[in-house]
Amino acid sequence: EVQLLESGGALVQPGGSLRLPCEASGFTFSSYAMSWVRQAPGKGLEWVAVISDSGGSTYTADSVRGRFTISRDNSKNTVYLQMKTLRAEDSAVYFCAKSDIIGPGITWHFDVWGRGTLVTVSS
Amino acid sequence: IVLTQSPDFQSVTPKEQVTITCRASQPIGNRLHWYQQKADQSPKLLIRYASQSISGVPSRFSGSGSGTDFTLTINTLEAEDAATYYCHQTSSLPLTFGGGTKVEI
């Protein structure tokens, strides 16, 4: 069974940092691009970042560029979201999502989502 | 690319047909996908590339459109279809989602 399991969510103070791992299983992780998508409480979906299958290409949303970094370790079947200089508006459930298309490229939709991990930024 | 969904909210009764529209701020070909998100769950892929069905998704869900105007149709609505529906474009970066349409039964 294809599964994604996010972890690392926590209550953090404004200006703080956090790293979210997402561990994948049930598929050839190194063959698929991966993304992070967030959802603030009661709000819609916001795409955050994507990384290619090899890790050679990444792209982040304007709202987090310079503060968030996406990376992956294909030997550990894990994708990460490193978050720095956190703001109250970064409070959200963070989902990792698997691209539906195998191979290179980063502009793909998502066929599998994790259950999400909650990040709360507050003093 | 901005995706504008309408309506924001729709209250319907079982067996009705529901139509949700998604308009893109510029042409995106068929790079438009639909997701269903039920309360306290993660999103689920319903339709890909505007009209392609997904294995395991009931046939009452269908999509159409190309360019800038797209539609998700739910025929013969069932109680389990209560959810928020999102469109999503993958034509260009940054990837974007529509604002969502909440369907209440």
Side-chain angles (χ1 to χ4, degrees):
Chain A
E1 181 187 4
V2 176
Q3 285 191 320
L4 300 173
L5 183 61
E6 305 94 336
S7 61
L11 171 64
V12 61
Q13 291 190 340
S17 298
L18 207 56
R19 189 178 80 153
L20 306 180
C22 169
E23 185 172 358
S25 60
F27 65 100
T28 306
F29 180 73
S30 60
S31 295
Y32 294 88
M34 298 293 294
S35 277
W36 286 94
V37 177
R38 69 184 180 183
Q39 186 169 36
K43 303 297 184 182
L45 301 172
E46 180 189 13
W47 174 81
V48 174
V50 63
I51 187 166
S52 64
D53 55 352
S54 67
S57 296
T58 63
Y59 194 94
T60 50
D62 288 349
S63 58
V64 304
R65 190 170 299 139
R67 301 187 300 121
F68 289 14
T69 302
I70 188 171
S71 63
R72 66 191 295 160
D73 185 338
N74 285 347
S75 69
K76 295 182 178 179
N77 288 353
T78 302
V79 60
Y80 302 95
L81 186 66
Q82 177 69 53
M83 304 185 293
K84 299 179 180 180
T85 320
L86 282 161
R87 306 167 179 167
E89 55 265 35
D90 295 319
S91 296
V93 173
Y94 284 74
F95 298 100
C96 72
K98 167 188 170 290
S99 65
D100 189 25
I101 305 299
I102 194 169
I106 54 177
T107 53
W108 308 123
H109 57 287
F110 316 122
D111 64 341
V112 179
W113 297 65
R115 297 178 63 88
T117 187
L118 177 63
V119 173
T120 304
V121 183
S122 175
S123 55
Chain B
I1 296 174
V2 176
L3 298 178
T4 303
Q5 283 185 237
S6 61
D8 294 334
F9 177 86
Q10 191 160 9
S11 183
V12 296
T13 55
K15 298 186 181 180
E16 276 191 59
Q17 180 184 77
V18 172
T19 299
I20 299 169
T21 65
C22 179
R23 174 164 288 176
S25 59
Q26 63 189 74
I28 58 172
N30 70 342
R31 302 295 292 262
L32 190 284
H33 320 282
W34 293 96
Y35 300 89
Q36 175 194 63
Q37 186 180 30
K38 297 182 179 180
D40 299 320
Q41 295 185 18
S42 52
K44 171 187 173 182
L45 181 64
L46 282 183
I47 299 287
R48 66 178 196 172
Y49 296 112
S51 61
Q52 290 184 16
S53 58
I54 303 296
S55 175
V57 174
S59 58
R60 62 182 179 273
F61 292 92
S62 63
S64 63
S66 67
T68 59
D69 293 306
F70 301 87
T71 300
L72 173 70
T73 300
I74 312 173
N75 286 306
T76 319
L77 193 81
E78 297 190 8
E80 66 182 28
D81 300 333
T84 301
Y85 294 84
Y86 295 93
C87 57
H88 169 55
Q89 70 80 22
T90 57
S91 176
S92 64
L93 294 165
L95 306 183
T96 50
F97 290 91
T101 296
K102 186 173 183 178
V103 174
E104 178 185 86
I105 312 296

